[in-house]
Amino acid sequence: MMTHKHWKIGALFLVICLWSVKICYGQKAAVLSTTQLKKDVEYFNAIDDEAVKNYVSNAQSFEWLSNNIPLFDCPDSVIRTVYNYRWWSLRKHLKQTPDGFIFTEFITKVNHAGKHNAISSALGHHIYEGRWLHQSQFIDDYISFWLYVDPKHTAPRFHAFSSWVHDAVYQRYLVNLDKTFLQKHLLALEADYRKWEQERQLPNQLFWQFDVRDAMEESISGSRKEKNIRPTINSYMYGNAVALSQMAALLGNDTLQQKYQQKAEVLRRLVHENLWDKEAAFFKVKLEKGAFANAREAIGFIPWYFNLPDDSPLYARQWNQLTDTTGFRAKWGITTAERRHPLFRTHGSGHGCEWDGPVWPFATTQTLRALSNLLNNYKHHGTMTKEVFYEELYKYAQSHQMNGKLYLGEYQDEKNGEWLKGDIPRSKFYNHSGFADLIISDLIGLKPRSDNTLQIKPLLSPQQWDWFCLDKVLYHGKSVTILWDKTGKHYHKGKGMRIFVEGKEVFKSKKMRSTSITL
């Protein structure tokens, strides 16, 4: 007969087992299997010589991806394949070090990197992308590395490049609601903001930066010597101030909340007053000598990445340049400078980087997120539509190729898609941009929030696709599935749009539409 003691142990064991099953179930797919992911990974592995192996080898990649990423399915094989390819490529950059996990930018060692070959220029992109990984330790460690480990290094690299890390940390919180992580790092993040003020803030309270320290050399408006006031760093610092204010409010720190709310308000006003060129109808670089740079550049779209500009037809008009073929529209993607400018594509000869016009995934990611914010959060859109967003996202996906094979490099010719660095070892799998986050947060439209709400705002028209499914998304600790099935015959869950949380249907509609659901 089971004793009382044994019964208690048995009951405890049962509870632990049930709890474990619940956790595993919470990360299971409700609709999709991993069959397509497995096929894609087998293909990716087959075309790769795997010159570098980090924490997860190619042989281990399918298992790791199956355990860590949201699954995605759609009728466009280019977008679906590149979605999986970008996760597969990101995994290549995950390194386990004595200082915890980090993500590299270059797959091989480069001279300008810091400890463990780490570079901070695309840190914001890394965190935005990595916030959807199911295992939080990878990004936890990576953020901690930059805040605490790199500053102690003999040659610290954290401030080698402008950064929107504070914003990215807060946006990640909106996915996982890990308040403890914010409590642990708030003061370090605040100290980092003050350090930027000491290093780069002018007496007029705007920030200056060299284009090379924006990771955007050589640009038409840039300089390695002059203290130009750029839309990049000023937008980043605005986004960082907003994030610090929101994090402080969550943690009940009224003093910090008010301090950074005021800083954000001041920066927002100053950007409108100082960086808007009325004649060009564009946010531009203000040169150290006081005049505007005479070029429209893609960095002028960055303020919308942080919802900084006023909601006005005046500012929305800037976006008309995105679809102008003498502006930023090109066959292979969004150019980094307006094509009509006489200095377009003139800076690349004999130099390692060229931001005077070629297509850069780093900038494309920023511009697409900014466009998504314009369409979702503003009443005035200029000539921008969901169809424009989709067309540019598709170009971006299609650009992941070289010689008929999947490829991700540094930057491309806007007319023919040639990777201008060529197929050199350091440029392969260049981890300097985002893609999966654009699918999850923008195209499908899962908008992370701090309250107990699941908000979906698709940037797809019902005519675009007959079906899609985003599955196994870990959001606020729950597994979420979002699907659209026009006829109901593809996924056999019924006609129209369906949302599942932990496998239970919580929303259905015959039409594809925006919705908010209490979890």
Side-chain angles (χ1 to χ4, degrees):
M1 180 180 292
M2 183 179 286
T3 65
H4 180 67
K5 179 180 179 182
H6 289 145
W7 180 88
K8 287 174 68 177
I9 293 172
L12 178 62
F13 179 74
L14 179 62
V15 168
I16 292 171
C17 287
L18 289 173
W19 179 75
S20 299
V21 168
K22 183 176 186 299
I23 289 177
C24 292
Y25 177 72
Q27 295 185 8
K28 277 187 177 180
V31 177
L32 301 179
S33 73
T34 56
T35 302
Q36 185 61 58
L37 176 65
K38 187 174 184 180
K39 288 180 181 177
D40 286 345
V41 169
E42 286 173 350
Y43 171 65
F44 304 155
N45 288 345
I47 62 173
D48 179 33
D49 60 10
E50 198 171 16
V52 176
K53 290 184 183 181
N54 284 317
Y55 180 64
V56 183
S57 68
N58 282 1
Q60 300 166 314
S61 61
F62 170 69
E63 181 181 3
W64 188 88
L65 291 168
S66 297
N67 291 330
N68 275 287
I69 70 167
L71 301 176
F72 177 60
D73 182 36
C74 74
D76 191 303
S77 60
V78 173
I79 289 178
R80 187 218 71 229
T81 302
V82 171
Y83 174 88
N84 287 335
Y85 178 71
R86 288 300 300 256
W87 281 122
W88 179 85
S89 298
L90 179 70
R91 170 270 325 173
K92 279 181 165 289
H93 290 272
L94 179 62
K95 290 179 68 173
Q96 187 175 34
T97 77
D99 300 305
F101 287 102
I102 69 159
F103 288 89
T104 58
E105 178 178 314
F106 292 97
I107 200 71
T108 60
K109 185 172 176 57
V110 292
N111 292 332
H112 63 281
K115 194 174 186 182
H116 309 308
N117 202 37
I119 299 174
S120 64
S121 66
L123 177 58
H125 286 322
H126 297 167
I127 297 172
Y128 265 86
E129 200 90 335
R131 63 182 175 158
W132 300 107
L133 292 171
H134 290 178
Q135 189 169 339
S136 63
Q137 184 185 356
F138 304 131
I139 297 296
D140 284 354
D141 284 2
Y142 188 41
I143 294 167
S144 297
F145 168 81
W146 286 112
L147 290 177
Y148 308 109
V149 178
D150 177 76
K152 296 178 181 177
H153 194 236
T154 50
R157 295 289 198 277
F158 192 17
H159 281 220
F161 297 100
S162 308
S163 172
W164 62 103
V165 62
H166 310 71
D167 164 78
V169 168
Y170 178 68
Q171 293 299 323
R172 178 172 182 252
Y173 165 80
L174 297 182
V175 172
N176 64 20
L177 294 188
D178 186 355
K179 198 171 181 178
T180 302
F181 187 83
L182 296 189
Q183 289 173 327
K184 184 177 180 181
H185 301 298
L186 178 63
L187 294 183
L189 287 165
E190 199 265 335
D192 181 70
Y193 191 100
R194 285 188 279 109
K195 185 175 181 182
W196 276 112
E197 289 179 319
Q198 294 165 7
E199 293 176 350
R200 289 291 189 269
Q201 195 169 38
L202 294 165
N204 66 4
Q205 295 185 276
L206 285 164
F207 291 83
W208 64 271
Q209 187 58 288
F210 304 127
D211 63 351
V212 66
R213 295 305 180 186
D214 265 340
M216 297 179 178
E217 75 283 8
E218 303 284 330
S219 63
I220 295 174
S221 69
S223 171
R224 292 178 178 237
K225 296 179 180 179
E226 294 180 357
K227 296 181 179 180
N228 294 335
I229 302 172
R230 295 168 61 82
T232 47
I233 190 169
N234 285 284
S235 297
Y236 300 163
M237 297 308 291
Y238 168 79
N240 289 338
V242 170
L244 282 169
S245 176
Q246 291 168 324
M247 288 187 279
L250 276 169
L251 300 175
N253 190 326
D254 295 341
T255 301
L256 277 187
Q257 188 273 324
Q258 293 170 11
K259 175 181 177 180
Y260 282 93
Q261 182 180 350
Q262 290 171 2
K263 287 179 181 291
E265 290 171 355
V266 168
L267 257 182
R268 185 170 181 270
R269 175 178 57 80
L270 291 174
V271 167
H272 284 88
E273 292 174 356
N274 292 272
L275 299 187
W276 178 254
D277 184 342
K278 293 179 182 178
E279 184 177 342
F282 215 86
F283 285 107
K284 283 184 171 183
V285 171
K286 180 69 72 72
L287 302 175
E288 185 176 2
K289 295 177 182 178
F292 282 111
N294 67 358
R296 297 181 184 92
E297 297 168 301
I299 58 176
F301 295 116
I302 291 176
W304 278 273
Y305 188 105
F306 304 97
N307 299 292
L308 184 156
D310 290 340
D311 192 353
S312 161
L314 174 68
Y315 299 109
R317 178 183 160 201
Q318 169 175 319
W319 283 93
N320 298 350
Q321 293 290 333
L322 191 72
T323 51
D324 187 335
T325 54
T326 64
F328 297 88
R329 186 172 194 166
K331 181 180 179 180
W332 220 254
I334 301 168
T335 60
T336 46
E338 57 181 329
R339 301 177 74 188
R340 64 174 69 84
H341 197 279
L343 295 181
F344 182 83
R345 296 294 309 273
T346 59
H347 290 59
S349 177
H351 193 273
C353 291
E354 183 184 350
W355 280 80
D356 60 347
V359 176
W360 278 83
F362 183 105
T364 300
T365 307
Q366 291 180 322
T367 305
L368 286 173
R369 169 54 47 77
L371 175 56
S372 173
N373 286 344
L374 176 83
L375 294 171
N376 279 302
N377 304 330
Y378 288 73
K379 294 179 181 178
H380 300 98
H381 303 152
T383 57
M384 296 299 98
T385 62
K386 292 179 180 180
E387 288 73 22
V388 173
F389 178 87
Y390 184 85
E391 181 182 1
E392 293 301 334
L393 179 69
Y394 179 79
K395 286 183 192 175
Y396 183 27
Q398 196 175 37
S399 72
H400 289 69
Q401 59 176 289
M402 178 188 280
N403 300 326
K405 294 182 180 179
L406 283 162
Y407 191 87
L408 175 60
E410 296 190 45
Y411 60 109
Q412 292 172 287
D413 185 286
E414 74 285 352
K415 300 181 297 295
N416 59 27
E418 177 191 356
W419 292 96
L420 297 171
K421 279 280 192 179
D423 188 17
I424 61 175
R426 84 167 207 168
S427 292
K428 286 185 176 181
F429 317 110
Y430 188 39
N431 191 23
H432 198 239
S433 57
F435 186 86
D437 184 57
L438 291 172
I439 299 296
I440 297 168
S441 300
D442 301 298
L443 187 65
I444 306 305
L446 197 168
K447 299 298 182 186
R449 293 169 52 133
S450 61
D451 58 8
N452 195 33
T453 300
L454 173 64
Q455 184 176 35
I456 311 297
K457 300 176 75 174
L459 276 184
L460 276 165
S461 63
Q463 295 76 33
Q464 195 71 60
W465 289 342
D466 286 345
W467 47 268
F468 72 76
C469 183
L470 180 65
D471 206 350
K472 209 179 72 163
V473 184
L474 196 60
Y475 175 70
H476 290 194
K478 300 178 187 296
S479 185
V480 173
T481 304
I482 306 160
L483 72 82
W484 162 253
D485 192 344
K486 187 175 182 179
T487 65
K489 295 179 180 179
H490 194 81
Y491 297 115
H492 305 288
K493 298 291 182 180
K495 290 183 180 180
M497 189 172 176
R498 295 285 194 278
I499 299 175
F500 301 85
V501 176
E502 295 289 301
K504 180 181 178 182
E505 187 177 278
V506 296
F507 172 83
K508 63 180 179 180
S509 171
K510 291 182 180 179
K511 297 181 178 180
M512 185 191 300
R513 63 181 179 88
S514 299
T515 186
S516 294
I517 301 158
T518 301
L519 291 173

